[in-house]
Amino acid sequence: MATSLSFISIQLQQIPCPLKQGQQTRRFSNRRLVINPIFATATGTAPPSTTVPDPKNLPIRKIPGDYGLPFIGPLMDRFDYFYNQGREEYFKSRVQKYKSTVFRANMPPGPFISTNPNVVVLLDGKSFPVLFDVSKVEKKDLFTGLFMPSTELTGGYRILSYLDPSEPSHEKLKRLMFFLIKSTRDRVIPEFHSSFTEMFDLLESELASKGKANFNEANDQAAFNFLARAWYATNPADTDLGLDGPKIVGKWVLFQLGPILSLGLPKVLEELTLHSFRLPPSLITKDYKKLYNFFYESATPLLEEAAKIGISRDEACHNLIFTTCFNSFGGMKLLFTNMLKQIGRAGTTLHAKLAEEIRSAVRSSGGNVTMKAMEEMELMKSVVYEALRMEPPVPLQYGKAKNDMIVESHEAAFEVKKGEILFGYQPFATRDPRIFDRAEEFVADRFVGDEGERLLKHVLWSNGPETESPTVHNKQCAGKDFVVLVSRLLLVEFFLRYDSFEIEVGKSPLGFAVTITSLKRASF
C-alpha cells in the first residue's frame, strides 16, 4: 500500500483471446498463459506542461500559520476539516489565506487521541517529495498520521507499514512481501480474469433485475477473491471464511482509521464515537480471528519462507493479513472505483477510443492479450496514470524531520526544525498547476508521448515518483508495477467486454460510491 500497497514488480502473463482479424465477437474466453516482463512506460503525444523553472535563490520565508490555543485550536481545525469546510476546502482556504502552499496547521484526530496535532503542511509538487526522502524524514509509526492504531488490531505487532527503513525488521518484512508476489506470479493473470469475469456477470445480472448495479460491492468481492486465489491458491468461498472477507476487512479497517474518517453520522455522535476516543479492539477480535485462521491455513509456503528470513510464523501471518487486506484490497477498492468513476464521467468518446485501441492491439497480437499488445495501448496506459494522478489511493503522507532542514516550494524556502512533523496532501501535489497543464481536469491522453513520459516523475501515488523503484531501504510501494498491471488489466478486461457504460456517483466513507446504470456489450 511499505506504503499503501505492498507489492513487487512481476512478469505479465499473456492472455489469449479468440478475436481474429476481421472477426466480430462479444465474448473473450478460452485463455492460455505466456509469461513476459512488465514495463511501466508511456509513449505518443501529450498536452504541454506548464512547469516553471526553479529560481536559483529562493527567499527564506517564515512558515505562515499557527496552531491556535492548546486544545481549542486543534478542535476548531478538526471541525473545519470534517464538517465546516471539508478536507479539500480546509487546505484550499489556508493556501489562499497565507498565500503559500507551505504553512502550519493542525491535523485530525487531535484531542483526545493524538497528543500533538501540529504539522507543517506541504501542498505543491516541489515541496511534497521531501516526504519520500528517508535521509531527511523518519517514517516510524506515521502510516496513519498523528496516531497509531492499537497493535491489538494486528496481533500485538507493529506492522511493516509503521516501520522506518532504519529498523531491522523493515528489511526482513519487505523481503517477505517481495517473495509473496514473486512466488505467486503465475497465478495472478488467470485469477484476475476469473475473479473479474465473475464480477462482470454479477453486475449484468443485477442490472437486468434492478435496472442498476452496485460497483463497489461487486468490486470488493472480486478484489478479495482475486488476492486470495492468486496469492494463497485458496478460494475463500470454499473455506470457513466464505464470502465474509470484504465485510470483516471493512469493519477491521474502520477500527484503525475511524479517528480520521467521516461516516456522515450526526456531528455529536461521530465526534464521540470516532474522533475523540478509540473504538475498543475487543469488539473486532472474533472477526479478526476468523481472518487470521484463513490466512494461517492458506499461507504455509509463505510462512515457511518467513521462518527462513528470521520472522516468526505468527508475525508473518499478521503482516500478510495487513498487506493483503489493508494495503492491497484497500488499494484496489479505492483505485478501481475512482478509475471507473473518471472514465465513466469522461463519456462515450473516450470509451470508444479505449475499446478500439485495446481490441486492435489484441487483434494485432493474434487474438492474445500480450505484453507487447499492452505496451501498444498508449491511451489505456495514460488513462491509468491519469487516474493515479488525479486521485492517489493514499492521499495523506507524513514524515518527521530528522534534522533542521530547508523545504522549498515554487516561491520560497522555509526552515523546518528537527522533530517537526511534515504533512502532505498528495492530490494538491499531483494537481499542481505549475507542473501540469489543466491540472484539475482528467486528461485521458496526458501521459502519451515523450513529454507525457517526462511527466511521470510527478506521479507520486506509490509513495515515490513513478520513475523510481522500491527497495528494502525506502518506503516506496513494493508493488508499484503490480498496481499498474492490475489497473491496466481491469481496463483491458472491461473494454474487451463492453463498448461503453453509464454511471451515477455518490459519496462513501472511503471515497465514492459508483452505481452502474448501463453496460453496452462489445459490438465489434
Side-chain angles (χ1 to χ4, degrees), residues 101-348:
T101 52
V102 177
F103 55 85
R104 297 187 183 278
N106 296 297
M107 279 296 291
F112 297 92
I113 295 177
S114 62
T115 57
N116 181 12
N118 306 157
V119 300
V120 176
V121 181
L122 312 176
L123 295 179
D124 62 80
K126 186 176 181 182
S127 63
F128 187 90
V130 72
L131 292 164
F132 308 143
D133 188 345
V134 294
S135 71
K136 295 181 179 179
V137 298
E138 180 184 281
K139 307 293 280 188
K140 183 178 179 180
D141 296 339
L142 292 174
F143 178 66
T144 49
L146 301 174
F147 78 105
M148 180 180 172
S150 171
T151 56
E152 292 181 48
L153 295 165
T154 52
Y157 298 99
R158 289 175 59 240
I159 297 300
L160 174 61
S161 294
Y162 293 95
L163 300 180
D164 186 79
S166 64
E167 299 181 73
S169 294
H170 181 274
E171 180 173 349
K172 292 180 181 180
L173 289 168
K174 200 163 186 180
R175 287 192 186 280
L176 177 63
M177 301 314 153
F178 288 166
F179 179 81
L180 164 65
I181 296 299
K182 183 178 180 180
S183 64
T184 60
R185 62 182 182 271
D186 292 341
R187 293 196 296 263
V188 170
I189 299 304
E191 295 301 354
F192 187 95
H193 172 69
S194 173
S195 298
F196 282 84
T197 295
E198 291 172 5
M199 182 190 78
F200 295 143
D201 290 342
L202 178 63
L203 291 173
E204 290 178 17
S205 176
E206 188 175 345
L207 194 59
S209 61
K210 300 179 181 178
K212 56 184 179 181
N214 186 318
F215 176 78
N216 294 60
E217 290 184 3
N219 179 60
D220 285 357
Q221 193 66 61
F224 190 86
N225 288 347
F226 160 64
L227 292 168
R229 294 167 178 174
W231 285 355
Y232 305 99
T234 303
N235 182 20
D238 298 333
T239 71
D240 291 339
L241 185 61
L243 301 178
D244 294 336
K247 293 180 180 178
I248 292 176
V249 172
K251 289 189 289 183
W252 178 63
V253 169
L254 174 62
F255 274 68
Q256 297 177 71
L257 296 184
I260 55 174
L261 294 179
S262 179
L263 303 182
L265 301 173
K267 179 177 177 180
V268 174
L269 180 60
E270 196 164 78
E271 281 297 299
L272 291 175
T273 57
L274 292 179
H275 301 155
S276 298
F277 306 98
R278 298 173 186 260
L279 295 171
S282 58
L283 297 179
I284 196 71
T285 300
K286 184 177 180 180
D287 282 337
Y288 183 72
K289 181 63 174 176
K290 195 172 182 180
L291 271 183
Y292 180 88
N293 290 340
F294 170 79
F295 281 91
Y296 197 87
E297 292 168 3
S298 305
T300 299
L302 297 167
L303 300 181
E304 291 175 349
E305 178 65 20
K308 295 176 184 177
I309 296 174
I311 308 167
S312 73
R313 288 172 177 261
D314 187 55
E315 182 177 7
C317 188
H318 288 292
N319 272 274
L320 290 170
I321 293 171
F322 198 92
T323 292
T324 306
C325 298
F326 194 112
N327 298 150
S328 310
F329 171 77
M332 294 174 71
K333 176 185 180 74
L334 294 173
L335 175 57
F336 285 11
T337 302
N338 290 341
M339 192 160 57
L340 202 72
K341 179 200 69 175
Q342 295 286 3
I343 297 170
R345 285 176 168 175
T348 56

Side-chain angles (χ1 to χ4, degrees), residues 75-93:
L75 202 60
M76 292 179 66
D77 280 355
R78 185 167 84 196
F79 289 166
D80 282 346
Y81 183 90
F82 286 121
Y83 313 111
N84 301 334
Q85 294 178 302
R87 184 165 65 183
E88 295 257 337
E89 187 58 33
Y90 178 82
F91 297 125
K92 285 181 181 178
S93 65

